[in-house]
Every structure is written in structure tokens, then in C-alpha cells.
Amino acid sequence: EIVLTQSPGTLSLSPGERATLSCRASQSVSGSYLAWYQHKPGQAPRLLIYDAAFRATGVPDRFSGIGSGTDFTLTISRLEPEDFAVYYCQQYESSPGTFGQGTKLEIK
Amino acid sequence: EVQLLESGGGLVQPGGSLRLSCVASGFTFRNYAMNWVRRAPGKGLEWVSGISGSDGSTYYADSVRGRFTISRDNSKNTLYLQMNSLRADDTAVYYCAGSGWLLYYFDTWGQGTLVTVSS
């Protein structure tokens, strides 16, 4: 199965700053079949990005995704207070679909 | 409004059984593949099982195959997960998640139901 490694494990930033989250795959994710999710405690996970670069419905344009092959990035251009959460990447290139271990974005 | 509402979680002893349910509303349930995804304490998300909307084909993670059974009742807009031979490492919040197809991204999620396996 494809193993996804997210870095950093924890990212400490202030509102207004730029966040860059990385997701590296153990083998190529062809077709860029990669998604990003935001998860806050006690809430349902939320789809942010699919097919590596496409924002889901209702997702603000400060969220952007890029990447191909084995390296993918989620960028939040200017952090808002509600953006502090755990972020997961997920590949759906090959079965089983797997998730990264998550990056916790915390307020500095 | 699209909504998924899980129920059935609780405390169960090792070796015991539990049945989770997920009631869907706000979309055409029968056209959607449905999945269970879990998050164990201190760990990340893990896909557990999926079922297609079209022919009811089922798929399982290696960690649960032979112990868990996923099913759906399209007349009731409900997804199920029958969990048998539960182990401590099955302790997690279980989320119901919808996707356009199996092996796809999950665009609809429930709030989750907690399953605790402990003596």
C-alpha cells in the first residue's frame, strides 16, 4: 500500500501567517489522486482539496493545493483563527486508500 | 442539507460485538459509495470498509477483514457496520463517509461515534 508521510508533525504559526504543509508518498500517486482534509476536535472531517489542486465546494480561496508524483503541498495563504486544526492528506490512487498521519496546525 | 448521523457506539468487552448505523439525508443515498473511517486515540485517520452504491460490492482493510461486515439499506438511507471479535486496538471514533465511488475522496462525513473496547 502507498504510505503517506506528512511534515511537519506540528506547525506553530500566528494568524495572518502563511502555512505550508507537506505530504510525501512512498510511490507515485498517478493522476494526482490526492485529497486534503481539515479536522477539528469533536467535528466531522472536512474535505478541502481533491485531485491535488481543486478546492471543494465552499472552501475559501486562501487554501490551495499543488503537487504530483510523490510530493504534494497544501498552502494556507493567510491563517484565520478558524484554520487551526489537524490536516490530513489521503491518496485514492490505489487500494486501500490511505491517509497520512496528520499535521497539527496550532496557534503560536 | 447533506447530513450523516452515526449511532451505536459504546463500551464493549474484548471479543464482543457492536453494530454501528449511519443515517443519511440530503442526497441520493443509493447513488453514493459509503465508507467507514476511524481515528484511534493519538493516531490518524484509517479507512476501515467501503460499499458501492450500485451493486453493493464490499471492501475491507486487512485489519478488520473477517471480523467486520459493512452493509446498507437503500430503502432506509442507512449504512451499517457489524463489528465482531472486537479488540482493544479497534477503540476509535468511527466516521461514516460518503464518496462518489469506491476508492475516491470523501466529500461527506458524519460527526462520528465512539467505540471503546475494554474490560
Side-chain angles (χ1 to χ4, degrees):
Chain A
E1 69 180 42
I2 296 177
V3 176
L4 300 179
T5 301
Q6 292 186 241
S7 60
T10 302
L11 185 57
S12 299
L13 294 170
S14 300
E17 291 193 292
R18 181 185 187 90
T20 302
L21 288 66
S22 174
C23 177
R24 177 162 290 179
S26 60
Q27 56 189 276
S28 180
V29 180
S30 61
S32 295
Y33 293 140
L34 188 116
W36 290 93
Y37 301 87
Q38 177 190 69
H39 193 197
K40 298 179 182 179
Q43 296 187 18
R46 176 194 183 193
L47 174 68
L48 297 175
I49 301 287
Y50 63 94
D51 292 353
F54 295 89
R55 275 189 299 276
T57 303
V59 174
D61 61 6
R62 63 179 181 274
F63 291 89
S64 63
I66 196 168
S68 63
T70 60
D71 290 300
F72 298 85
T73 301
L74 174 71
T75 300
I76 310 171
S77 60
R78 225 172 32 257
L79 286 165
E80 297 287 342
E82 62 267 28
D83 298 336
F84 292 91
V86 179
Y87 291 82
Y88 295 96
C89 57
Q90 177 229 352
Q91 66 80 21
Y92 43 100
E93 148 70 21
S94 68
S95 183
T98 48
F99 292 89
Q101 82 279 16
T103 289
K104 182 180 181 181
L105 178 56
E106 64 178 24
I107 299 177
K108 187 174 182 180
Chain B
E1 180 191 3
V2 172
Q3 197 166 20
L4 296 173
L5 185 61
E6 303 96 335
S7 62
L11 175 63
V12 61
Q13 292 188 338
S17 298
L18 214 53
R19 188 197 199 200
L20 306 183
S21 299
C22 170
V23 178
S25 59
F27 64 100
T28 307
F29 180 73
R30 65 179 179 274
N31 290 345
Y32 248 62
M34 296 299 297
N35 304 264
W36 290 97
V37 177
R38 67 186 180 184
R39 190 177 71 83
K43 296 195 173 182
L45 297 170
E46 177 192 18
W47 173 81
V48 171
S49 182
I51 183 168
S52 72
S54 54
D55 62 5
S57 300
T58 58
Y59 301 85
Y60 299 93
D62 288 345
S63 58
V64 307
R65 187 175 291 113
R67 301 186 298 122
F68 290 11
T69 302
I70 190 171
S71 62
R72 64 192 296 162
D73 185 338
N74 289 340
S75 69
K76 295 182 179 179
N77 285 0
T78 303
L79 175 73
Y80 303 99
L81 185 67
Q82 177 66 44
M83 303 186 295
N84 298 331
S85 302
L86 282 161
R87 312 186 303 220
D89 62 359
D90 294 317
T91 295
V93 177
Y94 284 74
Y95 298 95
C96 169
S99 56
W101 295 272
L102 288 170
L103 191 57
Y104 209 52
Y105 55 84
F106 307 113
D107 55 12
T108 306
W109 294 76
Q111 301 248 0
T113 186
L114 175 62
V115 173
T116 303
V117 184
S118 175
S119 55

